[in-house]
């Protein structure tokens, strides 16, 4: 049984001080149902994705309270929490429900409220994506690892610090054209020397912002998809893999979990990514975006900086860097942006048959891939 | 930040000492006392206490601010290749940034990780300093 996306909706990614998570989700779900032609009473499963609701909102299992507050009656509700890949895991679960025939209409909702506390509090929460007993207890930060990886990449391949920022420049250019993106302004390489340092040589210009947001996707089986009011996109396959921790890796510059997941996905579905394929990858830090397009075999190792200009459909929504990173919702934003691209409602025209979303927790610690195909 | 006292007590061999885990099957050595070899999954492992000396192979000067970390910033966080072979993540402290470089010989010392507040618990663990020449 095949899975199709027949509706999607997102809020603007921002620091929404005036809205709680329910208000954001209500907006995203409203848009999703409106463009799918279905309503809340049609939904069988409500799968909610969040990485940090327990830490930030003191709320365990928000799916229950989303269902109670947003008018979902007789729905099966559950919460998925798996670090930065929560949204991808939620989609995989929904995909499995449809494929197995256990459900025909599953609403996947992702959200995060990262702006509820000052950054020094939220920074501690975000660092929970690393292993507490080894790294968290020593105050090792996610950005510290990005800096170490960037150091190794520059040394190994002779890549300059200034050239890496090309990634972020492109992401901001794409965000300007994306209404729901958080950082809708352009940046230039000249700003690098003045940018706030996070973990040297990493600066604010290399990093994702602090983001709130909610996104929803409606997944259905083929018979429901045929009656949908919009052109469905097929969710073809999901694949993933886990890497060793950074300090056990022989080569910091190779995202082997992403590479292993891609090899399996590619072989099983007979697809190969090129510079002209639409991909939406995790660029929590720009160096991670570069390493990801190398692990996905789109660019040769050490050559990603040169590839960036040759990839017109790379993170068309601005990536985590500039669209923002409402963690539990981010993979859903990615799929929403790819759906818009493949259905002709994005700011750029795309003729490709397939597209790929990539999510990962930390530096490739846990990598997930979602393959999409246009309606045939 | 508050930590559990029982967790800290349980982790004493990995934060008050440095152990490495040597695999009897694949032969690889990994930092920390581990139940199983992280490379091959074997339970046939031996725990060896490290002398705590090594070489700094990569580092960053970090300004990442978290609650309670303000007084320690900037911090140097780096990868240290222990003399016993494996690489460990840790903080490099008591160091002049102008004199730090890749290849610096370092040794483990007991230092403060963090404290809850002026009247709260203080959490200690191992960090690295440049080797003191005798």
């Amino acid at each position: 049984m095949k899975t199709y996306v027949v509706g999607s909706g997102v809020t603007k990614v921002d620091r929404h001080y005036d809205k709680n998570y329910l208000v954001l989700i209500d907006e995203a779900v409203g848009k999703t149902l409106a463009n799918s032609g279905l309503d809340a009473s049609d939904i069988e499963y409500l799968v909610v994705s969040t990485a940090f609701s327990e830490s930030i909102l003191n709320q365990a299992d928000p799916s229950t309270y989303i269902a109670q507050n947003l008018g979902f009656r007789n729905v099966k509700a559950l919460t998925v929490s798996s670090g930065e890949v929560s949204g991808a895991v939620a989609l995989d679960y929904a995909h499995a429900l449809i494929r197995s025939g256990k459900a025909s209409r599953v609403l996947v909702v992702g959200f995060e409220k990262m702006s509820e506390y000052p950054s020094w509090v939220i920074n501690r929460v975000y660092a929970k994506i690393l292993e507490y007993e080894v790294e968290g207890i020593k105050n090792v930060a996610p950005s510290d690892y990005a800096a170490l990886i960037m150091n190794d990449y520059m040394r190994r391949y002779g890549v300059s610090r200034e050239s890496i920022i090309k990634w972020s420049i492109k992401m901001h250019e794409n965000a300007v054209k994306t209404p729901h993106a958080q950082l809708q302004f352009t940046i230039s390489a000249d700003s690098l020397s003045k940018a706030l340092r996070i973990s040297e040589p990493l600066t604010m210009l290399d990093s994702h912002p602090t983001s709130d947001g909610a996104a929803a996707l409606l997944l259905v089986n083929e018979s429901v998809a045929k009656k949908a009011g919009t052109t469905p996109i097929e969710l073809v396959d999901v694949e993933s893999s886990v890497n060793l921790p950074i300090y056990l890796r022989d080569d910091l510059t190779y995202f082997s979990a992403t590479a292993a997941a891609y090899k399996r996905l590619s072989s099983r579905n007979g697809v190969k990514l090129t510079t002209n394929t639409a991909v939406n990858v995790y660029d929590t830090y720009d160096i991670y975006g570069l390493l990801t397009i190398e692990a996905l075999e789109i660019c040769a190792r050490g050559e990603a900086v040169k590839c960036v200009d040759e990839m017109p459909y790379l993170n068309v929504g601005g990536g985590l860097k500039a669209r923002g990173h409402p963690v539990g919702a981010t993979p859903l934003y990615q799929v929403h942006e790819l759906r818009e691209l493949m259905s002709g409602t994005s700011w750029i025209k795309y003729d490709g048959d397939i597209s790929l979303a990539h999510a990962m927790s930390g530096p490739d610690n846990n990598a997930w891939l979602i393959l999409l195909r246009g309606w045939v | 930040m508050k930590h559990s006292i029982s967790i800290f007590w349980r982790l004493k061999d990995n934060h008050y000492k440095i152990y490495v885990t040597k695999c009897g099957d694949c032969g690889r050595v990994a930092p920390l006392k581990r139940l199983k070899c992280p490379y091959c999954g074997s339970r046939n492992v031996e725990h060896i206490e490290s002398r705590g000396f090594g070489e700094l192979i990569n580092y960053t000067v970090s300004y990442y601010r978290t609650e309670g970390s303000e007084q320690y910033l900037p911090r140097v966080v780096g990868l240290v290749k222990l003399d016993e072979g494996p690489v460990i993540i840790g903080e490099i402290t008591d160091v002049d940034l102008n004199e730090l470089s890749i290849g610096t010989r370092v040794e483990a010392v007991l230092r403060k990780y963090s404290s809850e507040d002026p009247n709260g618990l203080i959490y200690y663990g191992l960090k690295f300093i440049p080797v003191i020449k005798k």
Side-chain angles (χ1 to χ4, degrees):
Chain A
M1 200 141 347
K2 291 182 177 180
T3 303
Y4 294 89
V5 184
V6 292
S8 65
V10 300
T11 67
K12 180 169 168 55
V13 182
D14 211 334
R15 289 174 178 252
H16 290 288
Y17 297 116
D18 57 337
K19 294 174 182 167
N20 75 354
Y21 73 106
L22 293 169
V23 172
L24 294 176
I25 290 167
D26 187 44
E27 180 185 331
V29 169
K31 290 175 180 172
T32 303
L33 294 175
N35 68 34
S36 70
L38 299 175
D39 63 45
S41 62
D42 295 318
I43 305 303
E44 296 166 287
Y45 273 85
L46 174 66
V47 181
V48 173
S49 152
T50 172
F52 300 123
S53 79
E54 292 201 29
S55 298
I56 299 173
L57 304 178
N58 296 307
Q59 185 59 68
D61 184 28
S63 73
T64 302
Y65 307 101
I66 293 166
Q68 287 179 349
N69 284 285
L70 300 185
F72 290 97
R73 312 295 290 178
N74 300 316
V75 74
K76 299 172 186 70
L78 63 118
T79 302
V80 173
S81 189
S82 189
E84 290 184 286
V85 295
S86 299
V89 178
L91 284 171
D92 190 39
Y93 184 77
H95 180 48
L97 287 171
I98 305 273
R99 277 175 65 88
S100 67
K102 194 171 182 190
S104 56
R105 293 174 297 272
V106 180
L107 184 66
V108 184
V109 173
F111 77 92
E112 215 67 73
K113 284 286 293 171
M114 300 295 281
S115 73
E116 302 288 34
Y117 292 93
S119 58
W120 58 89
V121 177
I122 291 300
N123 283 350
R124 173 75 71 187
V125 172
Y126 180 61
K128 291 182 180 182
I129 61 169
L130 301 178
E131 187 175 5
Y132 170 74
E133 291 195 355
V134 178
E135 297 152 326
I137 221 162
K138 293 182 183 179
N139 299 312
V140 176
S143 58
D144 296 341
Y145 279 144
L148 298 177
I149 291 170
M150 187 185 277
N151 282 339
D152 258 18
Y153 190 76
M154 291 191 295
R155 272 197 293 270
R156 180 183 284 252
Y157 295 110
V159 174
S160 72
R161 179 67 194 83
E162 291 69 30
S163 64
I164 288 174
I165 207 70
K166 272 174 66 176
W167 179 282
S168 294
I169 292 170
K170 184 179 180 107
M171 293 305 112
H172 278 259
E173 286 169 355
N174 289 353
V176 167
K177 300 164 198 159
T178 303
H180 63 256
Q182 183 174 5
L183 305 182
Q184 294 184 316
F185 53 85
T186 56
I187 60 169
S188 71
D190 298 338
S191 338
L192 188 58
S193 60
K194 298 175 202 149
L196 201 65
R197 262 59 185 152
I198 305 174
S199 299
E200 288 181 350
L202 207 76
T203 74
M204 291 287 276
L205 292 187
D206 304 291
S207 170
H208 65 95
T210 297
S211 314
D212 298 337
L217 295 172
L218 182 54
L219 272 54
V220 302
N221 66 12
E222 191 163 8
S223 67
V224 178
K226 281 178 177 166
K227 298 172 201 154
T230 54
T231 306
I233 302 296
E234 185 186 351
L235 195 163
V236 181
D237 203 356
V238 183
E239 185 54 87
S240 73
S241 190
V242 174
N243 204 335
L244 289 166
I246 284 282
Y247 54 88
L248 290 182
R249 296 180 195 173
D250 294 326
D251 180 356
L252 299 193
T253 68
Y254 186 55
F255 280 175
S256 63
T258 295
Y262 175 62
K263 280 182 171 60
R264 288 199 288 268
L265 187 84
S266 167
S267 155
R268 193 160 60 233
N269 295 283
V271 297
K272 180 167 170 40
L273 304 177
T274 72
T275 51
N276 281 317
T277 310
V279 292
N280 210 329
V281 305
Y282 258 42
D283 53 341
T284 345
Y285 307 99
D286 48 10
I287 184 66
Y288 290 1
L290 295 169
L291 293 189
T292 298
I293 60 175
E294 292 180 7
L296 293 174
E297 300 176 17
I298 297 170
C299 314
R301 295 191 60 194
E303 301 285 324
V305 166
K306 296 175 195 160
C307 273
V308 168
D309 290 335
E310 298 161 12
M311 296 180 66
Y313 311 110
L314 172 64
N315 288 10
V316 294
L320 281 65
K321 172 70 199 83
R323 173 233 298 115
H325 186 26
V327 186
T330 300
L332 277 63
Y333 275 89
Q334 293 177 299
V335 172
H336 168 77
E337 289 158 4
L338 292 171
R339 175 176 180 262
E340 285 195 321
L341 188 65
M342 299 179 85
S343 57
T345 57
S346 180
W347 58 266
I348 183 169
K349 187 176 181 314
Y350 181 60
D351 292 326
D353 298 328
I354 60 157
S355 65
L356 183 97
H358 158 269
M360 64 183 180
S361 210
D364 195 51
N365 284 343
N366 190 357
W368 284 69
L369 302 175
I370 300 160
L371 180 66
L372 304 170
R373 183 183 290 133
W375 178 259
V376 286
Chain B
M1 183 187 183
K2 287 188 191 302
H3 297 285
S4 154
I5 294 171
S6 56
I7 290 177
F8 242 90
W9 174 78
R10 238 180 3 253
L11 293 173
K12 57 188 181 298
D13 284 346
N14 282 341
H15 289 283
Y16 297 157
K17 296 178 178 180
I18 300 177
Y19 275 89
V20 299
T21 298
K22 184 172 184 187
C23 181
D25 287 335
C26 75
R28 295 197 70 171
V29 184
L32 311 179
K33 250 186 184 179
R34 295 171 180 275
L35 281 175
K36 298 171 88 172
C37 170
Y39 295 104
C40 73
S42 169
R43 285 186 188 276
N44 180 19
V45 293
E46 176 189 4
H47 298 132
I48 302 163
E49 187 171 354
S50 163
R51 290 180 59 245
F53 286 83
E55 182 184 319
L56 185 64
I57 60 170
N58 193 345
Y59 69 94
T60 175
V61 179
S62 180
Y63 299 86
Y64 191 86
R65 183 184 171 195
T66 54
E67 215 168 6
S69 74
E70 297 84 349
Q71 61 183 304
Y72 306 106
L73 297 179
R75 304 164 63 235
V76 178
V77 177
L79 294 172
V80 172
K81 186 172 175 56
L82 298 170
D83 289 349
E84 292 80 6
V87 173
I88 191 168
I89 183 79
E91 184 175 336
I92 320 302
T93 190
D94 300 352
V95 66
D96 179 346
L97 291 180
N98 296 318
E99 291 177 7
L100 194 65
S101 62
I102 288 172
T104 299
R105 287 281 298 164
V106 293
E107 63 178 293
V109 289
L110 195 67
R111 288 288 186 275
K112 191 194 282 186
Y113 272 177
S114 60
S115 53
E116 288 176 3
D117 58 60
N119 303 314
L121 291 173
I122 298 172
Y123 303 99
Y124 291 95
L126 293 181
K127 298 183 180 181
F128 290 91
I129 60 170
V131 168
I132 298 168
K133 296 185 178 74
K134 292 171 182 161

